[in-house]
PDB file of all heavy atoms in Angstrom:
ATOM      1  N   GLY A 240      14.937 -42.863  -2.242  1.00  0.00           N
ATOM      2  CA  GLY A 240      15.095 -42.148  -0.956  1.00  0.00           C
ATOM      3  C   GLY A 240      15.753 -40.806  -1.079  1.00  0.00           C
ATOM      4  O   GLY A 240      15.885 -40.090  -0.075  1.00  0.00           O
ATOM      5  N   ASN A 241      16.113 -40.399  -2.258  1.00  0.00           N
ATOM      6  CA  ASN A 241      16.741 -39.084  -2.495  1.00  0.00           C
ATOM      7  C   ASN A 241      15.842 -38.243  -3.377  1.00  0.00           C
ATOM      8  O   ASN A 241      15.508 -38.640  -4.508  1.00  0.00           O
ATOM      9  CB  ASN A 241      18.111 -39.256  -3.156  1.00  0.00           C
ATOM     10  CG  ASN A 241      19.128 -39.952  -2.281  1.00  0.00           C
ATOM     11  OD1 ASN A 241      19.186 -39.718  -1.083  1.00  0.00           O
ATOM     12  ND2 ASN A 241      19.909 -40.837  -2.888  1.00  0.00           N
ATOM     13  N   ASN A 242      15.436 -37.103  -2.851  1.00  0.00           N
ATOM     14  CA  ASN A 242      14.643 -36.149  -3.589  1.00  0.00           C
ATOM     15  C   ASN A 242      13.348 -36.780  -4.159  1.00  0.00           C
ATOM     16  O   ASN A 242      12.932 -36.493  -5.289  1.00  0.00           O
ATOM     17  CB  ASN A 242      15.456 -35.561  -4.762  1.00  0.00           C
ATOM     18  CG  ASN A 242      16.707 -34.907  -4.302  1.00  0.00           C
ATOM     19  OD1 ASN A 242      16.735 -34.173  -3.313  1.00  0.00           O
ATOM     20  ND2 ASN A 242      17.812 -35.166  -5.032  1.00  0.00           N
ATOM     21  N   ASP A 243      12.757 -37.630  -3.337  1.00  0.00           N
ATOM     22  CA  ASP A 243      11.543 -38.325  -3.828  1.00  0.00           C
ATOM     23  C   ASP A 243      10.278 -37.471  -3.705  1.00  0.00           C
ATOM     24  O   ASP A 243       9.242 -37.858  -4.214  1.00  0.00           O
ATOM     25  CB  ASP A 243      11.326 -39.616  -3.022  1.00  0.00           C
ATOM     26  CG  ASP A 243      12.276 -40.749  -3.465  1.00  0.00           C
ATOM     27  OD1 ASP A 243      12.732 -40.654  -4.601  1.00  0.00           O
ATOM     28  OD2 ASP A 243      12.562 -41.638  -2.660  1.00  0.00           O
ATOM     29  N   TYR A 244      10.372 -36.330  -3.028  1.00  0.00           N
ATOM     30  CA  TYR A 244       9.197 -35.481  -2.858  1.00  0.00           C
ATOM     31  C   TYR A 244       9.619 -34.006  -2.949  1.00  0.00           C
ATOM     32  O   TYR A 244      10.787 -33.663  -2.862  1.00  0.00           O
ATOM     33  CB  TYR A 244       8.477 -35.752  -1.528  1.00  0.00           C
ATOM     34  CG  TYR A 244       9.308 -35.439  -0.304  1.00  0.00           C
ATOM     35  CD1 TYR A 244       9.220 -34.159   0.293  1.00  0.00           C
ATOM     36  CD2 TYR A 244      10.167 -36.361   0.260  1.00  0.00           C
ATOM     37  CE1 TYR A 244       9.969 -33.844   1.419  1.00  0.00           C
ATOM     38  CE2 TYR A 244      10.920 -36.064   1.398  1.00  0.00           C
ATOM     39  CZ  TYR A 244      10.813 -34.816   1.976  1.00  0.00           C
ATOM     40  OH  TYR A 244      11.571 -34.496   3.074  1.00  0.00           O
ATOM     41  N   PHE A 245       8.606 -33.157  -3.124  1.00  0.00           N
ATOM     42  CA  PHE A 245       8.827 -31.722  -3.164  1.00  0.00           C
ATOM     43  C   PHE A 245       9.135 -31.226  -1.740  1.00  0.00           C
ATOM     44  O   PHE A 245       8.234 -31.148  -0.912  1.00  0.00           O
ATOM     45  CB  PHE A 245       7.565 -31.040  -3.723  1.00  0.00           C
ATOM     46  CG  PHE A 245       7.608 -29.526  -3.794  1.00  0.00           C
ATOM     47  CD1 PHE A 245       8.825 -28.875  -4.061  1.00  0.00           C
ATOM     48  CD2 PHE A 245       6.485 -28.787  -3.642  1.00  0.00           C
ATOM     49  CE1 PHE A 245       8.855 -27.493  -4.137  1.00  0.00           C
ATOM     50  CE2 PHE A 245       6.496 -27.423  -3.702  1.00  0.00           C
ATOM     51  CZ  PHE A 245       7.696 -26.751  -3.954  1.00  0.00           C
ATOM     52  N   LYS A 246      10.379 -30.914  -1.534  1.00  0.00           N
ATOM     53  CA  LYS A 246      10.816 -30.552  -0.165  1.00  0.00           C
ATOM     54  C   LYS A 246      10.723 -29.063   0.076  1.00  0.00           C
ATOM     55  O   LYS A 246      11.259 -28.259  -0.685  1.00  0.00           O
ATOM     56  CB  LYS A 246      12.263 -31.024   0.058  1.00  0.00           C
ATOM     57  CG  LYS A 246      12.776 -30.765   1.482  1.00  0.00           C
ATOM     58  CD  LYS A 246      14.189 -31.307   1.666  1.00  0.00           C
ATOM     59  CE  LYS A 246      14.691 -31.068   3.053  1.00  0.00           C
ATOM     60  NZ  LYS A 246      16.091 -31.602   3.235  1.00  0.00           N
ATOM     61  N   ILE A 247      10.043 -28.713   1.154  1.00  0.00           N
ATOM     62  CA  ILE A 247       9.963 -27.316   1.608  1.00  0.00           C
ATOM     63  C   ILE A 247      10.446 -27.328   3.046  1.00  0.00           C
ATOM     64  O   ILE A 247       9.710 -27.628   3.991  1.00  0.00           O
ATOM     65  CB  ILE A 247       8.528 -26.754   1.491  1.00  0.00           C
ATOM     66  CG1 ILE A 247       7.973 -26.971   0.103  1.00  0.00           C
ATOM     67  CG2 ILE A 247       8.508 -25.270   1.851  1.00  0.00           C
ATOM     68  CD1 ILE A 247       6.529 -26.538  -0.070  1.00  0.00           C
ATOM     69  N   LYS A 248      11.690 -26.995   3.244  1.00  0.00           N
ATOM     70  CA  LYS A 248      12.322 -27.049   4.550  1.00  0.00           C
ATOM     71  C   LYS A 248      11.670 -26.031   5.490  1.00  0.00           C
ATOM     72  O   LYS A 248      11.537 -24.851   5.171  1.00  0.00           O
ATOM     73  CB  LYS A 248      13.814 -26.791   4.432  1.00  0.00           C
ATOM     74  CG  LYS A 248      14.578 -26.814   5.746  1.00  0.00           C
ATOM     75  CD  LYS A 248      16.043 -26.454   5.522  1.00  0.00           C
ATOM     76  CE  LYS A 248      16.810 -26.388   6.834  1.00  0.00           C
ATOM     77  NZ  LYS A 248      18.212 -25.968   6.584  1.00  0.00           N
ATOM     78  N   GLY A 249      11.286 -26.464   6.656  1.00  0.00           N
ATOM     79  CA  GLY A 249      10.757 -25.572   7.685  1.00  0.00           C
ATOM     80  C   GLY A 249       9.288 -25.279   7.573  1.00  0.00           C
ATOM     81  O   GLY A 249       8.716 -24.542   8.409  1.00  0.00           O
ATOM     82  N   ILE A 250       8.581 -25.821   6.568  1.00  0.00           N
ATOM     83  CA  ILE A 250       7.174 -25.501   6.401  1.00  0.00           C
ATOM     84  C   ILE A 250       6.331 -26.085   7.540  1.00  0.00           C
ATOM     85  O   ILE A 250       5.221 -25.593   7.799  1.00  0.00           O
ATOM     86  CB  ILE A 250       6.655 -26.004   5.045  1.00  0.00           C
ATOM     87  CG1 ILE A 250       5.327 -25.267   4.699  1.00  0.00           C
ATOM     88  CG2 ILE A 250       6.501 -27.527   5.015  1.00  0.00           C
ATOM     89  CD1 ILE A 250       4.859 -25.525   3.286  1.00  0.00           C
ATOM     90  N   GLU A 251       6.848 -27.085   8.228  1.00  0.00           N
ATOM     91  CA  GLU A 251       6.087 -27.661   9.352  1.00  0.00           C
ATOM     92  C   GLU A 251       5.856 -26.678  10.483  1.00  0.00           C
ATOM     93  O   GLU A 251       4.987 -26.851  11.313  1.00  0.00           O
ATOM     94  CB  GLU A 251       6.795 -28.922   9.875  1.00  0.00           C
ATOM     95  CG  GLU A 251       8.148 -28.659  10.458  1.00  0.00           C
ATOM     96  CD  GLU A 251       9.282 -28.801   9.426  1.00  0.00           C
ATOM     97  OE1 GLU A 251       8.974 -28.723   8.196  1.00  0.00           O
ATOM     98  OE2 GLU A 251      10.439 -28.957   9.827  1.00  0.00           O
TER      99      GLU A 251
END
Side-chain angles (χ1 to χ4, degrees):
N241 295 318
N242 304 316
D243 284 336
Y244 65 91
F245 179 33
K246 183 177 181 180
I247 308 175
K248 180 183 176 183
I250 197 170
E251 63 269 19

